[in-house]
Amino acid sequence: MSHTSAQATWGGRFSAGPAEMMLKFSESVSFDRRLAPFDIQGSKAHAAMLAHVGLISRRECREIQKGLGQILHEIRAGAFEWKTEFEDVHMNIEQALTARVPAAARLHTARSRNDQVATDMRLFFKYASAALGEKLVGTQRTLLALAERHREVLIPGYTHLQRAQPVSLAHLLFAWLEMLERDRQRFDVVLDHANWCPLGSGAIAGTTLPIDREFTAVKLGFVDAKGRPRVTQNSMDTVADRDVFIEFAAACAIAGVHFSRIAEDLILWSSTEFSYVSLPDAFCTGSSLMPQKKNPDSCELLRGKSARLQGNLHTLLTLTKGLPLTYNRDLQEDKPPVFDSFDQTALCADVLAGTLGGMKINRERCAAAVADPALLATDLADYLVTKGVPFREAHHAVGRVVKLAEENKVALNRLPDDIVRSAHPSFHADWKSVFDLRRAMAKRAGTGMPSPAQIKRQIIRWKKNLA
Ligand code: ARG
């Protein structure tokens, strides 16, 4: 086909079409075609606005909208022929519309691909942020169900990956829930920042034609809580700005870090050394060589994908750093990382939910691990504090008790009274009462702590939150 005819949208001042190589190099339709529903939604609203202000007739508007509807239908049915020589999603759709309705030639009035692509992407971000928020809720619900089913299971909590203090499994699962909740809030923020209508900014400086930006904004749902239109306030910023892209990728990258940290705990816990959990077969794989192996692949991939999500964020930061205002073609490269972050984050949330949902908790192993009396060494120091000993002194005394237990090769709670008293005179006859785990847990009763009463509160809170 002739290149000049392919470039009907801008070919007027050119005497030769782009080189074959340049077509391949510069096309984006292979990846931006997924914007088609948003592009068509934007074009329909733009046509409605043009008719509203009298720049096109009502009949032309109807023709354009009908044609766009048919094109969307064809795209959804897989019957639309995407053409590389038309470069991107916008020109493919415009060309297809032109072939159908003469009025299509008026659609691009007072519009540029610069404000068009900004609009498409903002519509995309609103959709994608809401969709990922829903995915995260799904994962949170799985965590909540797991916590509820195992509310009485206790495990050692770790700092420095060394046993620290006992916690309930539910308390740890709720820590993950909090992380995912903040992720969800980040997507709410992205949605809010995306919620400004770029159309009317034109290529850089708006238009000389009497358009109604607020009309378009309302049509596209770029409105505040009271339904008032939200339109961007500076045309140059609007076509150059990619902050929302970066924020979206950052929200995905941070969620990815959370997925990865959760995955790492699951990998450790499913190892023979820990054996706190066994992961579902459906999310593990075997070894082609070692018949006994069951590998935690879903978790390892969650860890790995987080690197990819961070890479996407970095691509966007580097892409925009140092770019002069306003639009530069470099910005076409902003879409693959965004789409990839969306797809992978959605997948990760689902896979994590699937892995958690099918996971079995090994109650015996958890009970054996948490029975380690050393986990209650801090409680022993607190005991001395209740006897009036300053905490620093109490800490030191309990440190000596731990050392004595090690030297005598007995568990902390099996040391003879006189040896314990040699470490500090304030150890009374009741010092061993500290090692009652149930009592120890019940005492951690403040907000944010793992007592059974607090866990109950959190279950109620999360149930309400995730309803
Ligand atoms: N495909 C282009 C992109 O993604 C659309 C905007 C093109 N604008 C332009 N002035 N060439 O950025």
Side-chain angles (χ1 to χ4, degrees):
M1 69 154 298
S2 129
H3 294 152
T4 19
S5 80
Q7 304 311 332
T9 54
W10 49 256
R13 57 107 67 223
F14 286 76
S15 45
E20 207 60 58
M21 192 191 289
M22 180 56 186
L23 284 178
K24 238 169 111 175
F25 187 60
S26 66
E27 69 84 25
S28 58
V29 67
S30 55
F31 53 84
D32 67 14
R33 57 206 253 184
R34 68 189 284 173
L35 290 173
F38 306 111
D39 197 70
I40 287 173
Q41 189 189 352
S43 287
K44 281 183 169 175
H46 184 67
M49 184 278 291
L50 291 176
H52 173 71
V53 300
L55 283 167
I56 63 174
S57 71
R58 295 265 153 218
R59 196 177 49 79
E60 285 168 329
C61 174
R62 270 196 307 277
E63 274 180 23
I64 288 171
Q65 294 195 335
K66 191 165 157 234
L68 287 169
Q70 289 166 350
I71 290 168
L72 182 61
H73 189 77
E74 270 177 36
I75 291 171
R76 292 217 160 112
F80 187 82
E81 200 194 334
W82 296 102
K83 293 192 178 139
T84 309
E85 60 266 30
F86 293 150
E87 207 179 289
D88 59 21
V89 61
H90 324 292
M91 295 209 284
N92 264 270
I93 291 172
E94 194 184 323
Q95 291 294 317
L97 188 66
T98 307
R100 264 164 232 258
V101 288
R106 295 186 190 277
L107 174 60
H108 214 53
T109 308
R111 187 176 74 171
S112 156
R113 271 187 297 156
N114 294 353
D115 58 350
Q116 190 177 359
V117 72
T119 304
D120 290 10
M121 287 305 286
R122 280 170 184 268
L123 289 170
F124 168 82
F125 285 125
K126 287 178 71 177
Y127 157 78
S129 299
L132 290 181
E134 274 309 302
K135 292 273 179 207
L136 287 169
V137 171
T139 313
Q140 287 181 301
R141 287 197 182 120
T142 310
L143 282 169
L144 175 58
L146 203 58
E148 227 190 329
R149 260 186 287 132
H150 301 91
R151 58 208 295 171
E152 77 296 354
V153 173
L154 301 177
I155 55 168
Y158 297 82
T159 65
H160 311 265
L161 200 51
Q162 307 293 316
R163 283 183 181 177
Q165 295 188 15
V167 292
S168 59
L169 175 66
H171 194 55
L172 183 135
L173 297 174
F174 286 149
W176 294 349
L177 262 168
E178 296 284 351
M179 286 148 62
L180 298 186
E181 183 66 14
R182 290 192 297 277
D183 292 335
R184 206 150 70 92
Q185 288 164 2
R186 262 182 286 276
F187 285 112
D188 286 345
V189 171
V190 174
L191 197 156
D192 182 58
H193 288 178
N195 193 25
W196 293 88
C197 189
L199 275 178
S201 300
I204 171 168
T207 176
T208 58
L209 298 165
I211 60 167
D212 184 340
R213 293 194 64 198
E214 283 71 20
F215 181 95
T216 317
V218 171
K219 274 255 174 271
L220 289 173
F222 289 111
V223 292
D224 67 13
K226 294 202 171 108
R228 288 175 304 211
R230 284 173 112 187
V231 301
T232 56
Q233 297 292 307
N234 182 293
S235 62
M236 292 180 78
D237 174 51
T238 301
V239 294
D241 162 45
R242 291 298 181 269
D243 297 4
V244 183
F245 294 58
I246 294 169
E247 286 181 318
F248 179 79
C252 292
I254 296 171
V257 167
H258 288 160
F259 296 153
S260 175
R261 294 184 74 172
I262 295 170
E264 174 59 16
D265 272 335
L266 296 181
I267 291 167
L268 279 171
W269 294 358
S270 64
S271 68
T272 310
E273 282 68 17
F274 278 78
S275 294
Y276 292 172
V277 301
S278 100
L279 297 174
D281 284 1
F283 289 89
C284 295
T285 65
S287 157
S288 54
L289 184 91
M290 300 166 282
Q292 87 286 9
K293 290 295 289 286
K294 178 172 141 183
N295 298 325
D297 288 33
S298 66
C299 294
E300 292 172 291
L301 280 166
L302 284 165
R303 223 170 35 183
K305 300 268 192 196
S306 74
R308 181 166 164 183
L309 295 173
Q310 287 171 46
N312 289 339
L313 170 60
H314 210 99
T315 298
L316 290 166
L317 288 167
T318 311
L319 181 71
T320 43
K321 167 200 173 297
L323 268 193
L325 292 193
T326 55
Y327 180 84
N328 299 271
R329 191 64 184 275
D330 318 38
L331 292 176
Q332 181 165 291
E333 289 295 319
D334 60 9
K335 281 162 225 69
V338 162
F339 294 151
D340 188 60
S341 285
F342 174 56
D343 295 339
Q344 294 302 320
T345 304
L347 265 174
C348 284
D350 281 350
V351 166
L352 179 58
T355 306
L356 289 165
M359 186 171 86
K360 295 265 172 302
I361 309 294
N362 188 340
R363 290 169 188 263
E364 293 74 38
R365 286 287 300 204
C366 294
V370 80
D372 178 358
L375 287 163
L376 294 171
T378 315
D379 294 48
L380 201 54
D382 288 348
Y383 165 91
L384 286 180
V385 168
T386 65
K387 305 289 182 206
V389 181
F391 181 75
R392 277 290 156 240
E393 188 182 325
H395 184 285
H396 200 76
V398 174
R400 276 212 303 281
V401 173
V402 170
K403 191 154 178 262
L404 288 166
E406 268 174 26
E407 281 168 8
N408 288 278
K409 294 192 170 42
V410 292
L412 196 57
N413 59 343
R414 296 264 177 268
L415 272 175
D417 287 358
D418 53 332
I419 294 192
V420 172
R421 212 159 293 129
S422 76
H424 202 287
S426 293
F427 282 116
H428 295 191
D430 62 345
W431 72 277
K432 282 185 183 164
S433 64
V434 160
F435 294 96
D436 179 342
L437 197 51
R438 282 171 64 101
R439 209 172 131 236
M441 295 314 295
K443 281 185 156 183
R444 290 168 161 83
T447 302
M449 302 178 199
S451 73
Q454 283 296 340
I455 295 300
K456 200 169 148 191
R457 256 188 72 188
Q458 292 296 330
I459 289 174
I460 293 166
R461 174 176 158 248
W462 282 113
K463 273 193 171 159
K464 223 172 98 187
N465 237 342
L466 301 173

